[in-house]
Amino acid sequence: MSFDTLQDKIRAMKNPTVAGLDARIEYVPPHIRQAAFAERGVGLEGACEAIWQFNQGLIDAWCDIVPAVKPQSAYYENLGWRGMELLERTIRYAKSKGLFVIADIKRGDIGSTAAAYAEGWLSGAKIEGQVFQSFDADCVTLNGYMGSDSIKPFLEAARAEDKCVFVLVKTSNPGSGELQDIVAGDRLVYQVMGDLNERIAAGTEGKYGYTAAGAVTGATYPDDIRRLRRRLEHTFFLVPGYGTQGGTAAGVANAFDKYGHGAIVNSSRGLMCAWQKTGGDGRDFAQAARDAALAMKEDLGRFVTVL
């Protein structure tokens, strides 16, 4: 699935939202945790079962109003092999519900190592002349600050499967400026990264004009997003940092073109953990997550009109 597919889904739902699935065990409502621990024990197996039940409920609540989900692999890796199996199962379930899946893996390596990562997450592993899919995400996030050879293997794998990637350009974290805002000749480092990314992916533009290599541009730096949108007209943006991290709908509007195309905005804890603000016991977690997603859609809609 390329960015054409993602943009089509956004247009159909009039909602440029991607919901995070950063499922830590403490985000799971108590009744789900207690039932899972009673069945599987307090430990990795019980935690994975609880998160699986939570993820299913969230996906079911969102699948008809949100075009995409973004599981962050760290929250599954910390649970060992059981967590990685849970992630594979979660991706498969989300795709079965029609959701576009962005695997937030932020890999950044070169040569055969990057190619192996790309096979695992995008194109499948070659075994005895056959190809076997494992995680099979529609899109992944990458750290391209090692240079073009840390991006190209993923881009090649993505193009072969009509998939896509997002490369870190200007990130939302407070320390991003320590490197990304340094002057490099007549540009800032994050501008160099954005230019490099668009140049590497030249020729992969789809029907909406976006290449297969998108850019991660943090909602906490709206002026930088505005400058990047003008600079990178063929690059699709993933915008983290809305809500809990302080990014606003007015700020993220800078990521979109005049048609309301070219970007998708992420919220994780603000949607997943909405049940913690309802005053209940968590049994309303799915409805709370759905209501929060609808409220985010409405908030973004005040500043972005998707045509």
Side-chain angles (χ1 to χ4, degrees), residues 119-120 123-135:
E119 290 171 0
S123 61
K126 299 177 179 65
I127 303 171
E128 296 292 335
Q130 301 181 63
V131 176
F132 296 88
Q133 294 285 356
S134 49
F135 295 106

Side-chain angles (χ1 to χ4, degrees), residues 18 21 28 31 35 40 57 68 77 83 97 104 158 163 170 172 176 196 214 226 234 256 258-259:
V18 53
L21 284 171
V28 181
H31 71 283
R40 304 290 179 91
E77 291 177 33
K97 293 292 185 175
D104 194 355
K163 297 182 178 183
K170 176 55 180 174
S172 60
S176 66
L196 173 64
R226 181 188 297 109
H234 297 293
F256 296 84
K258 62 183 179 181
Y259 302 108

Side-chain angles (χ1 to χ4, degrees), residues 105-116:
I105 62 173
K106 294 186 178 70
R107 296 297 191 264
D109 216 319
I110 59 174
S112 59
T113 308

